[in-house]
Amino acid sequence: MDDQLEISETNKEKNQIIVNKKYKFNLCYITNSTKVFKCTEYKTVKKCKSYIILNDNNKVIKYENKHTHPGKEYDASVSIVKHKIKNEIRKTSIPIDINQKHIYNEISEEIGLICPEYNSIKSQISRYIKKQLPPDISKFNEIPDESEYYINERDENFMIFKNSNIIIFQSPFQTELFIKYNENMFADGTFYIAPIFGYQVFITRIYAPEIKSFYTTLLSVLNNKEQATYELLFEELKKNASKYNNNIIVTPKILHCDFEKAITNFPFINPEYIFDIYNYIKIICQIYNYFHFLNFLEYFNKTYLYKYDIQYWNYYNDINHITNNTSEFFNNYLKKLFYKKPSFYELIYHLKREESLSYNNCKRKIEGVWKKKRILIKTDEINDLIKKYKKKESELIDKKCDKNDIIDLWYKCLLELNKL
């Protein structure tokens, strides 16, 4: 047989033969020692009667070339490209690690002009990769104690703790960051990227001042939001850090957590006038019968003005870091990686990938290889606005103005903050 023959596969992963890069033959049936392939057009109106018979060694015994239709080079090339990419995927134990675009580029050079565009096969290959992942996990207790997915790109163990309510991921690099920069730790949880069996993904981050960058130090999947679960998480975080710190326990000095959305801007105004502004807003709500907001104000009063000391949540004198610009920014970035809730193994793959990117980013910045251009962020805008109002307050005090004028000033500042 002088014709060029290539082994391929159908979308359902059945054997297929492609002849001269334009005729496709699907496996029809198998006998004791032969495999019979018929042209894909034999069931169409073309009723093509061409067929190929192979022996056990895939050698051609007979090729009946009676095509009643022109060859389809493009369709054949699509099958060849998908088959070659799937073959590469099957060779790896972690298929999601495959760079399918890189493989495509190599194959496209080999095939030439008739090669299909990458976007035309991308979704099919992505679905195939997901099929190769381990069976998805539906319950927390199904999470394995050991997995090759827990090993990062530097061959280090990425999973440090697991029980029936929590699994914690932290690389040695992230542990060292936590030990070195534990003055401020930023914590936040997100429900959007938690696997279907988990309650939330909880993340902690730190700030490295000499390279002006935030880095993730811990990623975990929680099964609930009970206080005992969070306490255990932080105990394991400290316990793991002590292994790298001569058994000395490391405890974060300041823990930054999210404020509830409705009071997001109260932490930035002068704490001396927060009670007064609270009462001012309450009076306005009573005048205009804003009953729903009055209920919230009552909750705010009990929770933030009496239950907690204002100094614990007020940033007036230290607007350097805002949780929304660190933990929430990273959480929003992770959300964009998934168009729906990820499987457990998809999530772990992307968390590892982000850890690797952070590692390389940090090393480059420390070595001075990469200096990222500074851009104005919300923290800067808030800082500038508060400085402006501090100056105005100082001017009012110098003029010996009434206290109500200063209260009114900071109320206007709160309104401006709400517009940022």
Side-chain angles (χ1 to χ4, degrees), residues 57-295:
N57 298 319
N58 287 331
K59 298 294 183 182
V60 178
I61 299 174
K62 186 174 182 180
Y63 173 34
E64 192 68 35
N65 186 357
K66 295 182 178 180
H67 292 291
T68 57
H69 58 91
K72 297 181 178 179
E73 292 185 68
Y74 181 80
D75 286 354
S77 71
V78 169
S79 295
I80 292 171
V81 171
K82 288 194 294 186
H83 170 67
K84 288 179 180 292
I85 294 177
K86 288 178 180 179
N87 252 352
E88 293 300 317
I89 293 170
R90 284 189 281 261
K91 290 177 184 178
T92 178
S93 58
I94 304 181
I96 203 167
D97 247 344
I98 282 286
N99 186 334
Q100 58 195 66
K101 182 66 167 64
H102 177 70
I103 298 172
Y104 167 83
N105 289 339
E106 291 182 349
I107 295 170
S108 63
E109 288 182 13
E110 174 188 331
I111 291 180
L113 294 175
I114 59 169
C115 183
E117 291 185 4
Y118 174 69
N119 287 338
S120 67
I121 61 170
K122 179 182 177 181
S123 60
Q124 295 177 57
I125 297 300
S126 296
R127 286 196 297 271
Y128 181 76
I129 288 175
K130 290 183 178 180
K131 287 181 182 178
Q132 307 309 304
L133 293 173
D136 200 7
I137 291 169
S138 58
K139 297 179 182 177
F140 216 93
N141 58 12
E142 293 176 359
I143 298 175
D145 293 328
E146 296 181 358
S147 170
E148 54 197 332
Y149 279 81
Y150 299 162
I151 306 300
N152 67 13
E153 291 186 7
R154 300 182 300 283
D155 292 324
E156 301 164 334
N157 190 19
F158 188 50
M159 193 272 282
I160 63 168
F161 180 80
K162 183 185 84 71
N163 70 6
S164 59
N165 286 317
I166 186 172
I167 181 167
I168 303 173
F169 299 94
Q170 185 180 57
S171 70
F173 159 69
Q174 292 172 325
T175 305
E176 290 167 7
L177 285 176
F178 169 66
I179 293 169
K180 186 174 181 180
Y181 305 107
N182 58 74
E183 179 73 27
N184 292 277
M185 187 169 77
F186 304 86
D188 190 30
T190 176
F191 309 99
Y192 297 101
I193 65 168
I196 56 172
F197 62 83
Y199 174 73
Q200 72 172 179
V201 172
F202 190 79
I203 297 168
T204 64
R205 310 194 85 203
I206 56 85
Y207 180 70
E210 64 266 35
I211 52 177
K212 296 181 174 61
S213 299
F214 289 93
Y215 292 101
T216 301
T217 52
L218 175 143
L219 305 120
S220 57
V221 183
L222 310 186
N223 197 24
N224 56 55
K225 61 174 181 178
E226 294 175 7
Q227 182 176 338
T229 301
Y230 291 108
E231 289 176 351
L232 177 61
L233 184 150
F234 285 108
E235 282 304 312
E236 291 300 325
L237 173 62
K238 292 188 289 183
K239 189 187 298 183
N240 188 59
S242 69
K243 297 176 185 177
Y244 295 81
N245 196 40
N246 299 318
N247 292 321
I248 299 172
I249 297 296
V250 177
T251 302
K253 294 179 175 61
I254 302 173
L255 177 63
H256 303 257
C257 295
D258 269 350
F259 303 109
E260 298 200 31
K261 189 172 183 181
I263 66 143
T264 297
N265 292 317
F266 264 105
F268 309 118
I269 64 176
N270 192 330
E272 185 178 342
Y273 305 104
I274 285 179
F275 276 103
D276 298 292
I277 293 173
Y278 159 77
N279 288 321
Y280 183 75
I281 295 173
K282 185 176 180 180
I283 291 170
I284 293 174
C285 290
Q286 288 170 337
I287 292 172
Y288 291 99
N289 296 323
Y290 295 150
F291 298 116
H292 290 297
F293 202 75
L294 279 168
N295 290 334

Side-chain angles (χ1 to χ4, degrees), residues 23-36:
Y23 296 112
K24 298 197 294 186
F25 294 77
N26 289 346
L27 180 64
C28 189
Y29 59 89
I30 301 175
T31 66
N32 290 335
S33 58
T34 61
K35 289 180 274 189
V36 178

Side-chain angles (χ1 to χ4, degrees), residues 4 19 39 50 113 135 141 144 170 256 290 307 342-343 368 383:
Q4 183 183 357
V19 176
C39 177
S50 299
L113 294 175
N141 58 12
Q170 185 180 57
H256 303 257
Y290 295 150
K307 187 176 180 180
S343 71
N383 228 332

Side-chain angles (χ1 to χ4, degrees), residues 13-29:
E13 298 173 45
K14 303 293 184 181
N15 288 344
Q16 184 180 76
I17 293 174
I18 295 178
V19 176
N20 296 333
K21 297 187 184 296
K22 59 183 179 179
Y23 296 112
K24 298 197 294 186
F25 294 77
N26 289 346
L27 180 64
C28 189
Y29 59 89

Side-chain angles (χ1 to χ4, degrees), residues 96 158 219 330 333-334 337-338 342 344-357:
I96 203 167
F158 188 50
L219 305 120
F330 184 66
Y333 164 72
L334 289 177
L337 296 177
F338 309 101
F344 175 72
Y345 292 102
E346 282 181 289
L347 175 65
I348 302 311
Y349 168 77
H350 283 287
L351 295 184
K352 280 197 310 181
R353 183 173 177 273
E354 292 309 314
E355 186 275 340
S356 179
L357 291 173

